């Protein structure tokens, strides 16, 4: 009588390397003071300042009948994603490539693609957590709870996908960490300008507003603001965000270099 050999426990073994990689990368991120400062403290501090000043909680004709707090809340949410995915992530990945870490990973059981997945989860996860904190602070200051929660979540997910794709494209085009930092900053300012950081969308003239509508963060602010107001995001900004995610992601995949 022969016994049937037991099959090896495949799933837990396969998952351990990625979990360990995710844990190590998360610890490295937490030790980086600049990453935590620019990604978390600045937008949270800005929302707190807007929340404690009475004048910024009152509706104003200058901002289309909304309060400055309600206008700048979605803009600061966009800031979190663009800082994490477009400014910080490319510098880290380009630095890994420049130091040969991606090349060495290709010779181990953990492929370099898992490093991309771990980095993407860390930076986008941090972005989601900080955006939740921003929303909670704003709600405590009188901003209503999003009346279109599914549309709100969908809008943020598409913003996350679009900014991650743009960040990977910057990584693919940057040969070194220094170039990645320069390209990230070069992309950051136009993105945030058309999101309304310096000139709110309600005060933009028609040409600027049109360009903003077709920019990734302008579309993101438009979709998130509509969800906060209870109208639900229109199809146009969602399609713009999806288009940036697909187009930039496809180009990044073709141009990405592991060494």
């Amino acid at each position: 009588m022969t016994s049937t050999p037991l099959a090896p426990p495949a799933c837990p073994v396969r998952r351990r390397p990625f979990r360990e990689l995710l844990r190590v990368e998360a610890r490295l991120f937490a030790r980086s003071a600049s990453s935590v400062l620019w990604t978390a403290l600045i937008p949270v501090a800005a929302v707190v300042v807007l929340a404690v000043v009475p004048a910024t909680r009152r509706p104003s004709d200058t901002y289309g009948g909304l309060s400055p707090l309600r206008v700048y809340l979605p803009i600061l949410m966009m800031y979190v994603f663009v800082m994490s995915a477009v400014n910080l992530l490319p510098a880290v990945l380009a630095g890994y490539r420049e130091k040969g870490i991606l090349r060495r990973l290709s010779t181990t059981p953990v492929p370099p693609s898992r490093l991309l997945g771990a980095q993407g989860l860390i930076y986008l996860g941090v972005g989601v957590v900080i955006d939740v904190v921003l929303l909670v602070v704003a709600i405590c200051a009188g901003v209503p709870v999003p009346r279109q929660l599914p549309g709100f979540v969908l809008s943020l997910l598409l913003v996350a996908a679009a900014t991650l794709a743009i960040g990977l494209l910057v990584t693919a085009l940057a040969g070194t960490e220094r170039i990645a930092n320069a390209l990230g900053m070069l992309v950051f300012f136009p993105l945030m300008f058309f999101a309304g950081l310096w000139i709110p969308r309600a005060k933009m003239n028609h040409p600027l507003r049109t360009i903003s509508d077709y920019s990734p963060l302008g579309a993101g602010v438009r979709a998130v603001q509509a969800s906060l107001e209870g109208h639900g995001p229109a199809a146009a900004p969602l399609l713009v965000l999806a288009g940036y995610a697909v187009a930039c992601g496809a180009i990044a995949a073709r141009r990405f270099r592991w060494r």
Side-chain angles (χ1 to χ4, degrees), residues 68-206:
L69 175 60
R70 293 175 72 169
V71 168
Y72 278 98
L73 175 62
I75 296 172
L76 291 170
M77 287 180 169
M78 303 302 106
Y79 172 93
V80 172
F81 281 117
V82 76
M83 275 301 302
S84 60
V86 179
N87 283 70
L88 300 178
L89 178 61
V92 172
L93 292 178
Y96 283 173
R97 183 201 291 130
E98 188 178 5
K99 296 170 185 173
I101 294 175
L102 296 182
R103 177 178 53 80
R104 291 196 293 270
L105 271 178
S106 63
T107 65
T108 69
V110 181
S113 58
R114 293 196 182 183
L115 178 62
L116 287 181
Q119 287 287 331
L121 282 177
I122 290 168
Y123 282 92
L124 295 182
V126 168
V128 170
V129 170
I130 297 173
D131 276 356
V132 170
V133 173
L134 297 180
L135 181 61
V136 170
V137 172
I139 290 173
C140 293
V143 172
V145 177
R147 285 172 274 181
Q148 285 285 342
L149 189 58
F152 178 76
V153 173
L154 176 61
S155 300
L156 285 185
L157 289 177
L158 286 176
V159 170
T163 51
L164 178 59
I166 295 171
L168 291 177
L169 179 57
V170 170
T171 306
L173 298 176
T176 65
E177 183 178 355
R178 181 176 296 180
I179 295 176
N181 279 321
L183 287 177
M185 293 305 295
L186 189 65
V187 172
F188 170 81
F189 288 105
L191 287 178
M192 291 309 303
F193 175 82
F194 289 112
L197 181 60
W198 292 281
I199 304 176
R201 284 172 43 85
K203 299 177 69 174
M204 289 182 179
N205 58 31
H206 182 69

Side-chain angles (χ1 to χ4, degrees), residues 1-114:
M1 181 176 179
T2 60
S3 59
T4 303
L6 296 176
C11 291
V13 174
R14 287 176 185 170
R15 290 179 183 173
R16 280 179 197 153
F18 181 76
R19 287 206 302 265
E20 183 64 20
L21 181 63
L22 185 62
R23 184 184 67 82
V24 171
E25 292 298 323
R27 291 180 64 182
L28 290 175
F29 173 84
R31 291 175 182 175
S32 174
S34 61
S35 299
V36 176
L37 176 66
W38 289 105
T39 307
L41 295 184
I42 289 180
V44 172
V47 167
V48 169
V49 170
L50 289 171
V52 298
V53 177
T56 61
R57 301 199 303 264
R58 291 195 290 265
S60 171
D61 294 336
T62 305
Y63 298 102
L66 300 176
S67 67
L69 175 60
R70 293 175 72 169
V71 168
Y72 278 98
L73 175 62
I75 296 172
L76 291 170
M77 287 180 169
M78 303 302 106
Y79 172 93
V80 172
F81 281 117
V82 76
M83 275 301 302
S84 60
V86 179
N87 283 70
L88 300 178
L89 178 61
V92 172
L93 292 178
Y96 283 173
R97 183 201 291 130
E98 188 178 5
K99 296 170 185 173
I101 294 175
L102 296 182
R103 177 178 53 80
R104 291 196 293 270
L105 271 178
S106 63
T107 65
T108 69
V110 181
S113 58
R114 293 196 182 183

